[in-house]
Amino acid sequence: MDFGLVLQTDPPATAVVELMRRAERAGFTHGWTFDSAVLWQEPFVIHSRILEHTERLIVGPMVTNPSTRTPEVTASTFATLNDMYGNRTVCGIGRGDSAMRVAGRRPNTLAALSTSMRIIRDLAEGRETDVGGSTLRIPWVRDGRLPVWMAAYGPKALALAGREADGFILQLADPYLTEWMIKAVRTAAEDAGRDPNSLTICVAAPAYIGDDLAHAREQCRWFGGMVGNHVADLVARYGEHSAAVPEALTAYVKQRQGYDYSHHGRAGNPSTDFVPDEIVDRFCLLGPAEAHIERLGALRELGVDQFAVYAMHDAKEATIDAYGERVLPALA
């Protein structure tokens, strides 16, 4: 199992770079950042610094979207980073939540996401592709490689990930839901004539090592609110008790009253009071290192290839170090 570190690009950027360097030294293979232009600093500028100051770390957004930057701009940005640092990027992409809603726009359609994934991958890898009726190619790309991993929760999005993406990003660490969603993605891949085991499966969630569970829960409760934004969309689309979406995912958003993106992804987010302890415990990894190792072992058995640690809490350095010293060696 590989491990990634997920950070927001809060200033100073030097702190983000240093945490990524620390993660690489601890054995992490991937460095991820949020991508919301209004809420945080520009991630791709910081990605360049991360790549410059690490040796092996693979870097990407978790996640970008097809609208706040156009697909050809996204492709050129990745291709430039790869040309400078040697194919050390991965494109995490989704419909767009915070980046789109903060700008007063709705998340992208799955059709737009599908088109964008094709354009981004083709252009970044040096191939000709259709962009709005014009055939384009980036002429300076040589031996470019860009895996595109798609974030998804709902049945149609899971099916698209299985048909077209190189990897699947699931932003929660509940084994029951992970198994359900991996099955949906792999079934779609197989139905499309693809090898279902060729997709990389990445689970991303907060991890907090320590014996004070009450404190850890409060530091990570924000995550249930973030996931709840996507779940609320699914409930609106499919209904509260639809067979298309597991009730284990949808039941907890009944008390959701709204969401303030100015606190998005931050400990103490006042918009997450509706998230019960049970959901925090199921979606996140909390407790002593042994508990993390046990949960991650179960996720690995389900086919998870990477666990990406959201470190938006008050123990970033301690979590990175504890994972490097105790968790990664146990799952090597």
Side-chain angles (χ1 to χ4, degrees):
M1 177 181 275
D2 287 336
F3 287 85
L5 178 68
V6 189
L7 298 173
Q8 294 171 338
T9 50
D10 287 317
T14 52
V16 177
V17 174
E18 183 51 43
L19 285 168
M20 291 298 186
R21 293 181 65 195
R22 191 183 195 115
E24 183 180 62
R25 291 194 299 268
F28 288 66
T29 60
H30 287 67
W32 302 92
T33 68
F34 279 38
D35 179 15
S36 291
V38 174
L39 296 178
W40 303 290
Q41 292 186 328
E42 171 55 37
F44 286 99
V45 174
I46 299 172
H47 289 175
S48 183
R49 294 288 289 173
I50 294 169
L51 289 162
E52 182 180 6
H53 289 279
T54 56
E55 296 179 2
R56 299 170 302 281
L57 204 68
I58 297 169
V59 176
M62 188 175 280
V63 292
T64 192
N65 72 85
S67 291
T68 53
R69 55 187 98 242
T70 63
E72 60 270 27
V73 170
T74 300
S76 182
T77 302
F78 276 112
T80 301
L81 291 173
N82 283 338
D83 187 64
M84 293 172 67
Y85 300 106
N87 288 338
R88 289 171 53 203
T89 65
V90 56
C91 177
I93 193 168
R95 294 175 60 226
D97 176 41
S98 60
M100 296 297 291
R101 297 185 197 274
V102 167
R105 288 175 280 174
R106 294 178 59 83
N108 294 271
T109 65
L110 290 177
L113 182 54
S114 171
T115 299
S116 297
M117 288 196 294
R118 170 185 55 79
I119 292 171
I120 291 167
R121 187 192 293 111
D122 282 351
L123 291 179
E125 295 185 343
R127 292 186 295 276
E128 287 188 349
T129 196
D130 178 81
V131 181
S134 298
T135 301
L136 301 182
R137 183 176 70 86
I138 299 177
W140 47 264
V141 173
R142 298 289 184 273
D143 301 317
R145 185 181 65 83
L146 181 66
V148 177
W149 296 6
M150 179 184 155
Y153 290 108
K156 293 181 180 179
L158 294 169
L160 176 60
R163 291 194 307 269
E164 300 182 17
D166 301 304
F168 164 50
I169 297 171
L170 173 60
Q171 291 163 310
L172 55 82
D174 175 67
Y176 170 77
L177 291 169
T178 299
E179 182 177 22
W180 191 92
M181 294 189 185
I182 289 176
K183 181 179 179 181
V185 168
R186 286 183 168 163
T187 297
E190 190 169 15
D191 290 345
R194 306 179 68 193
D195 177 1
N197 294 315
S198 66
L199 275 80
T200 301
I201 308 295
C202 174
V203 162
Y208 197 109
I209 289 182
D211 295 324
D212 188 345
L213 279 177
H215 180 74
R217 286 177 182 134
E218 290 313 310
Q219 287 292 304
C220 298
R221 196 176 303 276
W222 62 265
F223 185 67
M226 188 183 84
V227 174
N229 293 333
H230 302 283
V231 174
D233 283 349
L234 296 177
V235 170
R237 184 174 294 111
Y238 296 103
E240 188 176 321
H241 302 291
S242 170
V245 184
E247 190 169 358
L249 179 62
T250 61
Y252 83 100
V253 298
K254 293 177 183 178
Q255 304 302 316
R256 182 179 182 271
Q257 299 298 318
Y259 193 82
D260 182 355
Y261 278 93
S262 65
H263 303 283
H264 187 58
R266 300 187 186 280
N269 186 336
S271 301
T272 60
D273 291 344
F274 71 95
V275 180
D277 289 351
E278 177 196 4
I279 288 295
V280 182
D281 291 348
R282 288 176 56 184
F283 286 10
C284 306
L285 272 68
L286 312 176
E290 292 76 16
H292 293 240
I293 293 166
E294 182 179 0
R295 176 82 69 86
L296 290 167
L299 292 172
R300 183 173 61 179
E301 288 299 313
L302 295 174
V304 175
D305 300 296
Q306 180 182 147
F307 178 63
V309 176
Y310 278 105
M312 278 70 78
H313 50 55
D314 64 2
K316 295 179 179 66
E317 293 87 352
T319 298
I320 293 168
D321 294 347
Y323 260 67
E325 293 165 7
R326 303 181 65 184
V327 178
L328 272 66
L331 292 153

